[in-house]
């Protein structure tokens, strides 16, 4: 099964090996036909603690790492 990959910006890196990523989506409202923005925060695993607040990162689904972490930061080489 393919893993989902999302892109967002880091809004917090206060915890060890964890970043909070804000992912924003644009959708068209079914009745109003107006484009609206929906956002959601994901907690992602950052093993090297290399990402700071404001960085744009890509995150990928993974097996549960802790109670709240089900995503990991993808490091593009």
């Amino acid at each position: 099964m393919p893993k989902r990959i999302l892109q967002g910006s880091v809004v917090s890196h206060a915890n060890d090996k964890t970043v909070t990523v804000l992912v924003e989506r644009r959708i068209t409202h079914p009745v109003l036909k107006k484009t609206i923005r929906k956002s959601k925060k994901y907690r992602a695993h950052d093993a090297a603690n290399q990402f700071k607040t404001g960085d744009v990162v890509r995150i990928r689904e993974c097996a549960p790492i802790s109670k709240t972490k089900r995503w990991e930061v993808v490091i593009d080489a």
Side-chain angles (χ1 to χ4, degrees):
M1 186 164 115
K3 295 179 172 35
R4 290 185 294 167
I5 296 179
L6 302 175
Q7 183 172 346
S9 59
V10 176
V11 292
S12 173
H13 67 279
N15 301 102
D16 188 33
K17 297 184 181 179
T18 303
V19 291
T20 303
V21 180
L22 181 75
V23 175
E24 194 172 85
R25 295 187 166 119
R26 292 177 182 263
I27 63 163
T28 303
H29 191 279
V31 175
L32 301 177
K33 306 301 183 201
K34 179 179 180 178
T35 301
I36 57 176
R37 297 186 310 182
K38 286 189 173 246
S39 59
K40 185 174 178 182
K41 289 182 187 177
Y42 295 92
R43 312 253 300 165
H45 185 64
D46 175 20
N49 283 326
Q50 71 183 69
F51 297 104
K52 305 294 179 204
T53 303
D55 293 347
V56 176
V57 296
R58 292 164 56 116
I59 57 175
R60 174 179 56 204
E61 254 182 334
C62 65
I65 297 170
S66 71
K67 179 183 174 184
T68 57
K69 288 196 290 185
R70 273 90 173 117
W71 297 82
E72 61 188 358
V73 177
V74 176
I75 299 177
D76 296 326

